[in-house]
Amino acid sequence: MTTADTGTTPVQGASSGMIPAKDMAVIWVLLAAAFVAILNETTMGMAIPHLISDLGITPVAAQWVTSAFMLTMAVVIPITGFLLRRFTTRQMFLSAITLFSVGTLLAALATGFPMLLGARVVQASGTAVMMPLLMTTIMNLVPAASRGRMMGRVSVVISLAPAIGPTMSGFLLDHFGWRAIFVVVLPIALVAMLIGWRWLTNVGETTHAPIDALSIVLSAFGFGGLVFGLSQIGGLGKGVSWMPMIVSLTVGVVGLAVFLWRQVTLQKQDDALLDLRVFASRDFSLSMAQMFLLSLAFFGSITVIPLFLQDALELPALDAGLVVLPGALAMGLLGPVIGRIYDSRGTRILLIPGSILAAAMLWLFTTLNVGSPVWLVLVAQTLLSVGLALSFTPLFTAALASLTPKFYSYGSAVLGTIQQVAGAAGIAVMMAVFTAVANSTGGTEVPAAVAAGTRTAVTIGAVIATITIIGAFLIRKPADNDEAPAHAGH
């Protein structure tokens, strides 16, 4: 397959796994930008009480600072696959980092809640492009023999940024106020923009397919409706109407069904916004199913466990954050090591123990009570994170490596979309179960009731994680060559 066939730049040093210095420079710029974007994404949760008092808004309105960000991500990520093929690497990066920087500046200068909300939407529009752009670029530039190691560095970004974000946010909120969060992030983003403008080179060739406006609208209704509807589940049972959730989920399901039908029609002429031929690859489909289940279990559980620490074990918020911090750090720091193991040994040696460890720790969480020692939660949370680290890096790499280069951008978009939807679903379902059980046994102010809600909610995650043990035996590492299997997407 020639460069013209694949639309990628030739990979040098493929047999040795060496990556040219200019290509590594491109990857490092994108890694830094992705880190800043994800760091920003995780900082606002702790700022909500400050926003309520400073801006004079209700808790429901303040929650939209994070909900609007999540909704924008859910709408934009599915269309990044097309955009990454339609526009050059430089165009996409500079557009994304500019949107992010402008949104950050507007947020720092926000004179009221509407301006802050709009700024978060602008930020999210740039953030949504970062991870698909990074993964697509890695797949195009990095030889097959080194992809696991590079995806391990992506795991560092994905894990360490959320670990550092709340801690950094807490410090800035205590000493300087919520605007300082954006003031600190903005210079870093501007430096990344300057470096990218100076050094970033284009990867691959672009297409000239027209953008299908109807697909964009259907994507917004489909994915946006689903994520918004799921986000409403946790607030039910408190005199809140079910109608917005039902309407939103209905619009989401119908919109998604029509969107998928539209893509199947358009992909015959290579004009699809999200090309579904990526699912022609067995390993891609299995990896995405595994990713969906793990994300369901993981994001839901890590939302419930801090509530258990604060409301059942009655730890201060800072101490609760420190309990879950070692797990996040372990997950990130192990990424490159796990990537090297993937490069040399394949998927099963990582996925099988990873899925077993994750499931075992979630089952251990189902035994938690008000008398449980904090060290038990710390150890279980850390080992859960190790199990997930053993799973995520090989899943990212095996999924995208099973595609032909033409479909890397679409595969990256599918991966990001699945994580967003699964994460929203996991959080929604587990929080709804947690709240319902806690309220039925004494309320969320009673430690024993919180413990009961936690056990029931985490049981759902444990059951889901147990299913992934089967999938761990089925996913294989694609052959080590610089052109993925020809069947994927043909």
Side-chain angles (χ1 to χ4, degrees):
M1 192 177 290
T2 66
T3 301
D5 294 328
T6 63
T8 63
T9 55
V11 177
Q12 301 176 25
S15 59
S16 64
M18 296 295 292
I19 306 169
K22 65 180 181 63
D23 291 347
M24 277 305 304
V26 172
I27 292 171
W28 279 116
V29 169
L30 295 179
L31 278 168
F35 182 85
V36 174
I38 297 175
L39 178 70
N40 166 81
E41 185 180 355
T42 61
T43 55
M44 289 309 294
M46 294 187 69
I48 287 175
H50 295 259
L51 295 175
I52 293 171
S53 60
D54 289 356
L55 300 178
I57 56 177
T58 65
V60 173
Q63 194 63 47
W64 271 99
V65 173
T66 54
S67 297
F69 197 99
M70 181 175 65
L71 274 171
T72 305
M73 293 274 287
V75 170
V76 175
I77 287 176
I79 70 176
T80 57
F82 176 88
L83 296 176
L84 291 175
R85 294 196 67 221
R86 181 67 174 77
F87 301 101
T88 67
T89 310
R90 280 178 59 84
Q91 288 172 333
M92 289 302 298
F93 172 78
L94 292 175
S95 297
I97 197 69
T98 299
L99 280 171
F100 178 81
S101 299
V102 168
T104 304
L105 177 62
L106 290 174
L109 299 175
T111 55
F113 179 68
M115 184 175 174
L116 176 62
L117 189 63
R120 289 289 284 172
V121 170
V122 175
Q123 272 191 321
S125 301
T127 302
V129 176
M130 290 300 184
M131 286 306 297
L133 176 60
L134 172 60
M135 289 194 170
T136 302
T137 302
I138 287 175
M139 293 304 298
N140 277 322
L141 292 182
V142 178
S146 299
R147 284 174 181 160
R149 176 166 54 89
M150 291 307 304
M151 285 297 182
R153 294 179 183 177
V154 175
S155 295
V156 174
V157 169
I158 293 173
S159 304
L160 286 186
I164 295 170
T167 305
M168 182 190 82
S169 176
F171 174 80
L172 293 174
L173 287 166
D174 287 343
H175 293 85
F176 304 105
W178 60 268
R179 295 179 193 277
I181 295 173
F182 303 106
V183 172
V184 168
V185 168
L186 181 60
I188 306 173
L190 292 175
V191 169
M193 181 195 297
L194 181 63
I195 295 173
W197 176 78
R198 177 67 180 84
W199 298 106
L200 196 67
T201 57
N202 290 324
V203 175
E205 299 173 1
T206 59
T207 67
H208 298 285
I211 297 177
D212 184 55
L214 179 58
S215 290
I216 295 176
V217 174
L218 291 171
S219 172
F221 279 111
F223 294 106
L226 276 180
V227 171
F228 178 73
L230 289 168
S231 71
Q232 300 302 295
I233 294 176
L236 298 176
K238 304 173 184 176
V240 179
S241 172
W242 288 67
M243 192 54 63
M245 181 202 72
I246 294 172
V247 171
S248 182
L249 288 177
T250 302
V251 169
V253 169
V254 173
L256 182 59
V258 180
F259 172 79
L260 296 177
W261 170 80
R262 179 79 174 164
Q263 303 321 296
V264 171
T265 302
L266 291 174
Q267 68 192 23
K268 297 173 184 177
Q269 291 83 39
D270 277 345
D271 289 344
L273 199 68
L274 184 64
D275 201 311
L276 301 179
R277 286 176 290 182
V278 292
F279 290 102
S281 164
R282 169 188 176 276
D283 286 320
F284 182 85
S285 298
L286 287 173
S287 296
M288 289 302 96
Q290 189 87 339
M291 181 70 67
F292 183 84
L293 293 175
L294 282 172
S295 296
L296 267 177
F298 175 57
F299 288 108
S301 299
I302 63 171
T303 303
V304 172
I305 294 303
L307 296 176
F308 170 80
L309 289 167
Q310 293 178 70
D311 299 331
L313 299 188
E314 300 181 320
L315 292 182
L318 178 60
D319 292 353
L322 292 175
V323 169
V324 299
L325 181 61
L329 293 175
M331 194 173 176
L333 296 175
L334 284 173
V337 177
I338 291 168
R340 289 189 179 91
I341 296 173
Y342 169 88
D343 287 335
S344 60
R345 302 291 298 277
T347 59
R348 291 177 184 173
I349 193 172
L350 297 166
L351 288 178
I352 293 171
S355 57
I356 291 173
L357 185 59
M361 290 306 103
L362 286 171
W363 282 115
L364 180 59
F365 278 140
T366 65
T367 67
L368 294 176
N369 212 324
V370 288
S372 298
V374 174
W375 67 261
L376 178 65
V377 182
L378 188 152
V379 171
Q381 173 72 16
T382 303
L383 291 177
L384 169 63
S385 299
V386 171
L388 291 165
L390 290 169
S391 300
F392 281 143
T393 297
L395 284 174
F396 290 156
T397 316
L400 296 178
S402 68
L403 304 174
T404 50
K406 173 182 176 180
F407 292 92
Y408 287 157
S409 63
Y410 295 115
S412 298
V414 168
L415 195 157
T417 302
I418 283 178
Q419 279 195 310
Q420 284 292 122
V421 174
I427 292 169
V429 171
M430 291 197 201
M431 282 302 295
V433 170
F434 168 84
T435 304
V437 173
N439 285 338
S440 68
T441 54
T444 53
E445 287 79 29
V446 179
V450 171
T454 300
R455 289 194 299 272
T456 307
V458 176
T459 298
I460 298 172
V463 171
I464 293 171
T466 302
I467 299 172
T468 66
I469 297 174
I470 300 171
F473 285 89
L474 302 177
I475 298 167
R476 302 169 303 193
K477 179 187 178 185
D480 272 344
N481 54 52
D482 289 307
E483 294 179 9
H487 70 274
H490 288 280

